[in-house]
Amino acid sequence: ITLKYPDLFTVEAKGKKGKIHIPVEVLLLCPSQTVTNDQMINNEQADMIKLSAAKPQIRKATTDCIVKKVGLASNNIYNFIKVEEPIKVEGMVLNKPKIVFAENKMAVLNDPRAKFPTDFNRAGKYYIAKELTNWEIVFVQGEDMPGLDKILVEEMKNNGMKAAMPATSTIVRGDLEPIFKKAKDAKRQLLFFVIKSRYNYHQQIKALEQQYDLLTQEVRAETAEKVPRQSQTRLNIVNKTNMKLGGLNYVIGSESFNKPGRLIVGFETSQRSGGNPDYPISVGFAANMLDHHQKFAGGYVFVKRDKDVFGPVIKDTLITILETTKKNRGMPNDILLYFNGVSEGQFALLNETFRQHVKDACISLSETYRPNFTIIASSKTHNERLYKSDKGQILNLEPGTVIDHTIVSPVYNEWYHASAAARQGTTKATKFTLIFTTQPAEPMWNLQQLTNDLCYDHQIVFHPVGLPVPLFIAGRYSQRGAMVLAANDGPKYKDGQVDLQETNKELGYGGKKLFETRFNA
């Protein structure tokens, strides 16, 4: 074939004979192919979000227009379907929590100069600052950045950390494993990778982290180039480092959250669809099981693909969490469990089956152990879209907005909650449903305030996130599990069947020292 465009790039394909490179002009593009976040490069994901995001006033106008065009804007369709006008309800905006750094220095919220009222700046040094004395920065051969190590160490010290200058090493011809072997022998606390995004080593780095039980942090070289001139970039990098090492950047000063005896657990899976249908699903979990009740850590468990992916792991996972909590700060007297992505059709499952799993886990530790516990389901897959009306203008809901009447279930205690500011597009409120509690006297406003406060405990970005932190972190752990599974070419098999026990043992963090760190910060 004589190529018409010989200077165009080629596409790499993997076949039985290894990698081949095919000119793009001889290829056909198949429609409806799914591209995962991990396959996107540079800022493709951010660009896609920008293209699909719509301001609230535009989204509502578009929705209204479609309703009229398809004939839904009628009070009576075919004498059967009735469509009501949009309902107007009153909401309330919860108080923002106090954000406290070292020496009781408090961050300023509602700063009139801030673009978003929930963003806050560092008010002092880290509340619990860690030491980093034996670490290593890793570059690709020939792409090192002189002076980066000194800048990062200085930033760590400015935030209260005790940091020594790191060793440096280089990746030669894409071979990462020798880096980990040498670092393991040298008992490094952290391998800090600075790599251009085009190399796409992330999945391999995290798989080797799990294999060698060695903490890693990866920063794109394109981001690292901004470090000398952008203070916020330096801070974000070091925020993550301190959290990975077991520190705490700030604490939430909140009556609802200031209960060291309450264990808060989140379960989430982001792998319900897609991927290899023969592979198990990764269920992520996170809990405040460490030495401070506002530190969260967790992991993931591989389970069989099924309608109920949480049920098979609740008891054993909760036993592990309770044992870890007991070792670090004593047995909790109260347990709060969030399950994300549960449909209304599964509420009875949570109430009847999941509740029993929690009881069984507690009894496994002691026949007399009877803590209070509460189960809450959360979901963003509902059909309700909420807007704020301000003097006739359609705006996004203010962060902390709660609606708990009129549009909620007449059977369950429910509330809609918008925790974070929409950086672009329209806010999608999360629906929370109280499924079960042994403390019916606990007021709903306390659970609502606690949920709101938990959204501020991300620790790395200094603003609230879209879900309470145990769920937010559990979702990241679920993604990590899927990544490690893919990097290891799938699960372990026995007699032609997936061996879940061996897969979790070999590819999980349960038996690793990193389990009691926020390794996926």
Side-chain angles (χ1 to χ4, degrees):
I1 299 174
T2 301
L3 296 178
K4 189 175 180 181
Y5 305 102
D7 294 331
L8 282 180
F9 58 90
T10 58
V11 171
E12 181 182 279
K14 296 178 181 178
K16 294 181 179 179
K17 297 182 180 179
K19 295 178 181 178
I20 57 174
H21 294 83
I22 306 172
V24 288
E25 67 177 88
V26 301
L27 300 176
L28 294 175
L29 183 66
C30 297
S32 303
Q33 294 185 90
T34 301
V35 179
T36 65
N37 293 343
D38 292 337
Q39 292 172 319
M40 295 185 182
I41 60 172
N42 298 329
N43 295 316
E44 284 182 338
Q45 185 181 5
D47 292 341
M48 288 289 291
I49 293 172
K50 287 179 182 178
L51 289 170
S52 61
K55 297 286 186 182
Q57 65 272 23
I58 297 173
R59 182 177 290 276
K60 186 176 185 304
T62 303
T63 303
D64 291 343
C65 179
I66 292 172
V67 164
K68 292 178 181 178
K69 292 289 184 182
V70 300
L72 289 177
S74 169
N75 289 328
N76 197 327
I77 303 172
Y78 304 125
N79 296 316
F80 178 65
I81 302 173
K82 293 184 178 181
V83 180
E84 298 178 349
E85 291 295 315
I87 298 173
K88 292 184 179 180
V89 295
E90 287 189 359
M92 59 180 174
V93 179
L94 300 176
N95 293 328
K96 299 174 180 63
K98 296 177 181 177
I99 308 294
V100 185
F101 288 83
E103 298 176 350
N104 206 34
K105 294 182 178 179
M106 288 192 289
V108 177
L109 287 162
N110 289 324
D111 186 344
R113 297 169 296 177
K115 185 176 181 180
F116 299 100
T118 50
D119 290 4
F120 57 90
N121 294 317
R122 181 174 66 89
K125 295 180 179 180
Y126 293 145
Y127 190 84
I128 300 176
K130 304 301 285 188
E131 292 186 10
L132 186 56
T133 56
N134 183 10
W135 62 302
E136 187 175 314
I137 295 185
V138 184
F139 301 99
V140 172
Q141 189 176 35
E143 298 182 3
D144 56 321
M145 295 185 182
L148 177 65
D149 50 1
K150 186 177 180 181
I151 295 172
L152 290 175
V153 167
E154 189 65 29
E155 182 68 23
M156 292 175 190
K157 291 179 178 178
N158 289 341
N159 287 279
M161 296 176 66
K162 294 180 180 179
M165 290 293 287
T168 58
S169 59
T170 56
I171 300 170
V172 180
R173 293 186 295 276
D175 193 359
L176 294 173
E177 194 152 9
I179 301 289
F180 279 83
K181 288 180 179 178
K182 292 177 182 177
K184 189 72 174 178
D185 292 339
K187 298 181 179 179
R188 301 291 190 211
Q189 292 172 267
L190 175 72
L191 277 178
F192 191 98
F193 289 86
V194 181
I195 299 173
K196 290 182 179 177
S197 55
R198 64 186 174 90
Y199 291 112
N200 199 23
Y201 288 155
H202 183 68
Q203 181 170 285
Q204 189 180 354
I205 288 171
K206 297 309 176 183
L208 288 168
E209 174 191 90
Q210 186 275 335
Q211 180 183 336
Y212 283 90
D213 201 10
L214 186 59
L215 196 62
T216 66
Q217 184 172 344
E218 183 184 357
V219 174
R220 290 182 176 179
E222 295 88 343
T223 301
E225 289 172 353
K226 303 173 186 176
V227 164
R229 62 181 185 275
Q230 292 187 0
S231 59
Q232 189 61 53
T233 301
R234 293 195 298 272
L235 180 61
N236 289 345
I237 291 171
V238 176
N239 284 347
K240 181 176 287 194
T241 305
N242 192 51
M243 292 303 299
K244 281 178 175 284
L245 293 169
L248 194 62
N249 296 342
Y250 55 83
V251 293
I252 307 294
S254 155
E255 182 180 344
S256 298
F257 197 5
N258 193 23
K259 294 181 179 179
R262 172 172 262 179
L263 176 67
I264 306 172
V265 186
F267 286 95
E268 167 147 27
T269 178
S270 50
Q271 308 298 321
R272 289 191 178 277
S273 60
N276 190 318
D278 297 326
Y279 285 6
I281 287 179
S282 169
V283 173
F285 63 91
N288 58 337
M289 56 184 173
L290 302 181
D291 56 357
H292 190 286
H293 70 282
Q294 293 192 13
K295 287 184 186 178
F296 284 84
Y300 53 82
V301 184
F302 297 112
V303 300
K304 182 182 178 181
R305 289 175 179 262
D306 196 45
K307 291 181 180 179
D308 175 20
V309 296
F310 295 123
V313 305
I314 292 172
K315 179 183 174 182
D316 290 343
T317 303
L318 193 54
I319 288 172
T320 301
I321 291 171
L322 285 167
E323 289 175 340
T324 306
T325 308
K326 179 182 178 181
K327 181 180 69 174
N328 285 321
R329 65 172 198 273
M331 290 296 283
N333 54 32
D334 185 12
I335 304 172
L336 172 61
L337 299 104
Y338 290 96
F339 291 90
N340 193 39
V342 179
S343 66
E344 291 186 19
Q346 293 179 302
F347 284 177
L349 183 71
L350 270 73
N351 188 31
E352 297 165 11
T353 307
F354 290 14
R355 178 176 68 178
Q356 189 59 47
H357 291 327
V358 176
K359 289 182 178 179
D360 292 343
C362 295
I363 293 172
S364 296
L365 270 72
S366 170
E367 286 289 341
T368 59
Y369 181 47
R370 297 288 189 277
N372 288 308
F373 68 94
T374 301
I375 297 176
I376 294 176
S378 69
S379 175
K380 282 194 173 185
T381 58
H382 56 80
N383 296 320
E384 285 73 24
R385 180 71 72 171
L386 306 175
Y387 304 92
K388 177 183 176 181
S389 177
D390 185 11
K391 299 177 181 178
Q393 284 188 307
I394 298 298
L395 305 172
N396 272 320
L397 296 178
E398 186 176 335
T401 299
V402 164
I403 297 99
D404 59 4
H405 62 92
T406 309
I407 58 174
V408 297
S409 169
V411 178
Y412 293 98
N413 282 317
E414 284 187 336
W415 73 93
Y416 289 90
H417 178 221
S419 60
R423 309 280 152 171
Q424 52 196 10
T426 306
T427 300
K428 182 69 181 285
T430 306
K431 182 169 72 172
F432 293 91
T433 307
L434 177 62
I435 303 296
F436 173 82
T437 182
T438 58
Q439 302 179 89
E442 181 172 18
M444 283 294 292
W445 62 261
N446 192 55
L447 291 175
Q448 293 169 358
Q449 186 66 58
L450 174 60
T451 300
N452 188 64
D453 293 345
L454 284 167
C455 295
Y456 283 81
D457 197 30
H458 187 269
Q459 298 284 331
I460 297 165
V461 295
F462 286 178
H463 56 74
V465 290
L467 284 170
V469 154
L471 288 178
F472 190 94
I473 298 175
R476 294 298 184 268
Y477 281 125
S478 172
Q479 294 169 3
R480 172 65 65 84
M483 184 188 300
V484 170
L485 190 69
N488 285 277
D489 298 321
K492 305 297 178 182
Y493 288 87
K494 183 178 182 180
D495 300 328
Q497 300 294 321
V498 173
D499 188 337
L500 285 174
Q501 184 176 353
E502 190 64 21
T503 300
N504 280 305
K505 179 181 177 182
E506 292 294 321
L507 303 183
Y509 280 80
K512 309 287 186 179
K513 63 181 177 63
L514 290 185
F515 176 70
E516 292 192 39
T517 69
R518 191 169 159 186
F519 60 87
N520 200 22

